[in-house]
Amino acid sequence: MRIECPFCGERDHSEFAYFGDAACARPAPGAADAQARFVEAVYLRENPAGAHRELWYHEFGCRSWLQVTRDTRTHEILEVRLARESTAP
Amino acid sequence: MVDPTCGPLCAFAGLPAIAGSGDGVVAKERDGLGIARITARDRQLAALERLVQRRFHLLLPKGARRTGCGEVSLAGVGPESWLMTCENAGNAFAIGLRDSLGGPATVVDLSDAYVMLRLAGAKVRETLAKLVPVDLHERSFQVDDVAQTVAEHMAVTLWRLGDLAGGEAVFEISVGRSLARSLHGAIRESAAEFGFVFEPA
Ligand SMILES: [Zn+2]
């Protein structure tokens, strides 16, 4: 699997560290239903068979955080952008 | 064992100066370099660009590219972040940069953090090809291209300088100082079949 880093270009996935789900928003801790929301955010993830937005760190490259959209069935990389430039989640 | 508190120690002290026979790869230690990483502060890129141009007569390179003027060079190592070097300047370079660029940029002195080798010779590409997972063909990795990647699992910064008069390619590679001996060993072993010559500072 290769990831096209927006700064470095196409690199082997061994240069990157996987962080996790990029679509998961941290719930507001002050909300009335905060506990239920946190249980949902921590334990109840989508786990899609298909496109998945995730965060990767280009550790052995430019050390940028990336938002990568990957097909979990084929490892096809559908989109990569700098996390700082993304509006997600 | 030399007492490391007694004075500056050459990072490559005591390492073999040759391997194999011939000079397919010649590695020269780059000593005395001032090295600093500058990163634009939030929304300060344009101000940094103006200052760098006024002070060093250089344009900040876009992407993973490098540029140089006189003793100073600038290499793109991340979004809005550059590695700057200055010949024979040591730590004084970063101290000066803090005064001149410290407004719109963070300045981190890395002069003692990294060691750098200049690599030349007819077999330098064949040697590096064993070490880094980046295509270094002359059309793919052009003069002044910069790559941060791994060499034998070590995080390295690599760039290509202008070719020598005979058309021979020249690269510079830097690594964290504590990995200097490992990098030297990796290059030495990979270059041995072509003949390796090391020129310490
Ligand atoms: Zn990168």
Side-chain angles (χ1 to χ4, degrees), chain A residues 5 7-8 58 61-62:
Chain A
C5 172
F7 188 85
C8 301
H58 197 183
C62 63

